[in-house]
Amino acid sequence: MDIDLLKSFIAICETGSFTQAARQVGRTQSAVSLQVRRLEDLLGRPLLLRSSGSVELTEHGELFLGYAKDIMTSYHGALAAFDRGSVEGVVVLGLSEDYAPRILSNVLGSFIELYPLATVDLVLEDSKLLVKKLAEGAVDLAFITEGEGPVRGGPIAFRDQIVWVAPRDGNLHEREPVPIAMRSEDDSYTRFMTTSLQAMKRRYRTAVISRSITGLRAAVTGGLALSAMVRSSVTSDMRELTSAEGFPPLAEFNIRLERAHLRKSAIIDRLEAHLMTRFSHER
C-alpha cells in the first residue's frame, strides 16, 4: 500500500477539504482526488462522500482511518529507528552485575551500533539499590529482579534462573563436605544453596566469600568451590550442574525493565524500545 495514498487520505480527513489537503501534502487537488480513487479501488470500498461544500467519511472510511493512522505511526517509527544521527546524548542504565554478560553482549552492542552518537552510562548495582536510584532519578532505566522493591510494574524483559555452577572439568560436586562460594551468609543466593544442600542431606563448608560476582566466578573456574548464580552469569569456563547430578535449579524469576518516573527523552525512549524488542526475540 503506497504511503503517499495514506498521507493524502489522512490529510483530507483532518482538513475536511480536498483543496486544503492538497496544499498540506504538496500536490494538486486533482492528484489528491486520483489518489483517493486508487485507494478506494485497492480496498474495494468507498471511503469518502463528496459534495460541493464538504467531505464526509463513509462507514468504511471511518474504519480505515484508524488503520491508516496506525500504519503511518509505524512507518515514521521505523524510519526514526534507523536514522543513525537522530538520537544522541546520555542515558543511564542500571543493571545487576549478574545480568551484565547477557545484556551487554547481546543487546547493548547492537544499540550502540544503531545509534553511534548515543552514550550509555552503566550503573552496576543490585536490584534493591537500583530501585532506590530509580526513585531518586539517578538512573533512567533499570533491570530489576521481581520482588526486590517497590517499582511501577514495568514490562517483563526476560526470565532467569538461579542454577548450581561448577568448574568446567572435575568432580568437585562429589566432595564431602561440598565446598561453596557465597556472597554473604544472609544473601538470598546463599539461602537457596544451603536450603537445597540440607534437603539433599549434603554436608557443606564455606570455601570462599566474595561480594563480587567476578570473585565468585573466579572461585568456581579456579576449582575452589561450587556456587549459585543466574544462568545469565554462567561463562564458558564453568558448567551448570543438573538434576541428574543431584543439583536441580534453585529458583526462577522475572526481570522487569523499569523507568524512572517522569524521565522523558528521545534517547531513553529508543533504548527502552530497543531492549524490549531484542529480548522479545529471545523468547
Side-chain angles (χ1 to χ4, degrees), residues 55-185:
V55 177
E56 294 183 7
L57 285 168
T58 65
E59 180 181 352
H60 302 299
E62 290 178 357
L63 176 62
F64 183 68
L65 179 59
Y67 287 110
K69 288 182 176 179
D70 288 343
I71 292 170
M72 290 304 300
T73 298
S74 297
Y75 169 75
H76 290 300
L79 290 181
F82 289 91
D83 182 359
R84 295 169 65 86
S86 64
V87 175
E88 59 182 298
V90 179
V91 57
V92 184
L93 176 66
L95 64 151
S96 167
E97 193 177 358
D98 292 11
Y99 310 129
R102 178 177 188 175
I103 295 170
L104 296 181
S105 61
N106 295 346
V107 180
L108 279 188
S110 58
F111 179 78
I112 296 300
E113 182 179 353
L114 193 58
Y115 301 109
L117 300 181
T119 300
V120 180
D121 184 356
L122 294 176
V123 176
L124 299 179
E125 298 282 5
D126 63 38
S127 289
K128 290 181 179 178
L129 284 175
L130 289 174
V131 168
K132 182 180 179 182
K133 289 182 179 293
L134 277 169
E136 295 170 346
V139 296
D140 301 313
L141 296 166
F143 288 94
I144 304 295
T145 302
E146 197 169 66
E148 290 293 314
V151 290
R152 300 174 62 194
I156 295 173
F158 58 92
R159 291 181 64 79
D160 215 329
Q161 201 166 37
I162 301 176
V163 296
W164 285 99
V165 289
R168 169 58 62 185
D169 301 311
N171 58 352
L172 192 63
H173 61 288
E174 296 178 357
R175 289 189 187 178
E176 288 286 350
V178 179
I180 62 173
M182 65 173 68
R183 286 178 169 86
S184 67
E185 291 188 357

Side-chain angles (χ1 to χ4, degrees), residues 165-233:
V165 289
R168 169 58 62 185
D169 301 311
N171 58 352
L172 192 63
H173 61 288
E174 296 178 357
R175 289 189 187 178
E176 288 286 350
V178 179
I180 62 173
M182 65 173 68
R183 286 178 169 86
S184 67
E185 291 188 357
D186 61 350
D187 176 68
S188 59
Y189 287 65
T190 302
R191 289 196 295 272
F192 284 127
M193 283 194 292
T194 56
T195 300
S196 178
L197 289 167
Q198 289 165 3
M200 289 188 280
K201 295 182 170 44
R202 295 287 302 274
R203 292 185 303 115
Y204 62 90
R205 70 178 185 85
T206 302
V208 175
I209 298 176
S210 173
R211 287 282 183 181
S212 165
I213 187 65
T214 303
L216 294 179
R217 289 195 189 106
V220 173
T221 58
L224 303 178
L226 307 185
S227 193
M229 58 186 66
V230 292
R231 189 168 279 132
S232 295
S233 280

Side-chain angles (χ1 to χ4, degrees), residues 32-43:
V32 169
S33 296
L34 181 59
Q35 285 181 315
V36 173
R37 290 194 186 94
R38 287 177 57 196
L39 193 56
E40 290 176 326
D41 289 342
L42 179 64
L43 297 173

